[in-house]
Amino acid sequence: MATKRISIALLSIFLTLTAFAASKDLEKDITMVSYEQGWLDYNGTLALKNNTNKEIKNVVFLITYLDMSGKELDYEEFSKSVSIAPGMTKKLDIPAYEHNRNYHYYKSKNSITGTPAFKIKFKLKDYSVEEGSEDSIDGVSYGKYDYESSTDYDGITFTIAFILLFVIGITVGLYVLVAVMAQNRNRSVVVWLLLSFIATPLLMIFILLVIGNNNNYNGNHYDRK
């Protein structure tokens, strides 16, 4: 008797879940309202609308990335923990597409001419699935805190690298300027570069501006005064 009751209970649960699954319309229940991703953004912002009369807690969806001619470039499947009230729209972030190559969504306003543009296609795979503590991308799970920390770290690393390259470029440019100024003033490029290393190129530039041309240069040697 007990076994029969358990079987009936399990059958009821199965039928309930089946009926719920059958009531889902993955084409209409959740739709994408908008998407934003500028050329410097680390995340894209997706706005999803709940078109049902019940609250939706979790969504699984597929994003297909397209070039401006409509050709498929890539795709990613996302599982996001989110709560969307009936009839309401909720924004959520996903990793930016090709951030390192400065791609931007073609409708985004905060982009510059010349950076690659793309379109996206949204497809709902499932919703109100079992809630997890982690988001997944292409089947690989990422803790939310760890992923955001990694994103911040990447941003700091990029900034430091950019500053270092800028400083190195300015420094090399100053030495080149010293060499050009020395040559134009009929003075030894090697000597003035060595002096720049001993002192600073800025000081040598100032001195070269003050002393002017070497009028004693005869074409074979430099004045050594």
Side-chain angles (χ1 to χ4, degrees):
M1 189 68 175
T3 304
K4 184 177 181 180
R5 289 178 179 176
I6 294 173
S7 299
I8 293 174
L10 291 174
L11 180 60
S12 299
I13 294 172
F14 175 76
L15 291 175
T16 301
L17 292 175
T18 303
F20 177 75
S23 66
K24 294 182 181 180
D25 187 343
L26 299 181
E27 295 290 331
K28 299 179 180 179
D29 289 351
I30 299 175
T31 52
M32 185 185 77
V33 177
S34 64
Y35 182 76
E36 288 288 334
Q37 180 191 320
W39 69 291
L40 288 177
D41 292 341
Y42 283 96
N43 292 307
T45 301
L46 190 73
L48 300 180
K49 183 178 181 181
N50 178 4
N51 299 314
T52 71
N53 57 4
K54 55 183 177 293
E55 183 181 13
I56 290 174
K57 291 187 176 296
N58 305 289
V59 292
V60 180
F61 55 91
L62 181 73
I63 297 292
T64 303
Y65 300 95
L66 315 168
D67 64 17
M68 295 307 294
S69 65
K71 181 181 178 181
E72 292 188 5
L73 299 172
D74 201 354
Y75 69 91
E76 289 190 25
E77 184 173 300
F78 299 91
S79 175
K80 303 293 291 185
S81 297
V82 64
S83 178
I84 312 177
M88 301 299 289
T89 299
K90 174 80 76 171
K91 288 185 176 181
L92 53 93
D93 290 337
I94 60 175
Y97 176 67
E98 292 286 6
H99 165 76
N100 293 334
R101 297 169 62 188
N102 296 328
Y103 271 66
H104 72 276
Y105 185 58
Y106 77 110
K107 288 185 178 180
S108 296
K109 296 179 181 180
N110 55 337
S111 298
I112 61 174
T113 303
T115 57
F118 67 92
K119 300 178 180 180
I120 67 170
K121 183 168 59 176
F122 172 84
K123 182 178 180 181
L124 181 65
K125 303 285 287 186
D126 202 357
Y127 63 87
S128 293
V129 294
E130 183 178 355
E131 185 175 2
S133 59
E134 297 180 337
D135 294 337
S136 66
I137 302 173
D138 282 350
V140 181
S141 296
Y142 298 89
K144 184 175 181 182
Y145 176 78
D146 291 338
Y147 176 78
E148 291 178 350
S149 299
S150 175
T151 299
D152 294 339
Y153 177 78
D154 289 343
I156 294 172
T157 303
F158 175 80
T159 302
I160 293 174
F162 178 80
I163 293 173
L164 286 175
L165 289 175
F166 180 78
V167 172
I168 291 172
I170 291 295
T171 303
V172 172
L174 289 174
Y175 283 108
V176 171
L177 182 58
V178 169
V180 171
M181 291 180 66
Q183 186 177 36
N184 290 341
R185 285 162 176 77
N186 298 327
R187 300 184 183 277
S188 173
V189 173
V190 175
V191 170
W192 283 94
L193 283 177
L194 288 175
L195 290 173
S196 297
F197 283 114
I198 296 172
T200 66
L202 286 174
L203 179 60
M204 296 304 107
I205 291 171
F206 176 75
I207 294 174
L208 284 168
L209 286 173
V210 172
I211 63 177
N213 294 335
N214 181 8
N215 296 322
N216 295 323
Y217 176 68
N218 62 11
N220 296 319
H221 66 276
Y222 293 91
D223 181 21
R224 300 186 180 276
K225 290 182 178 181

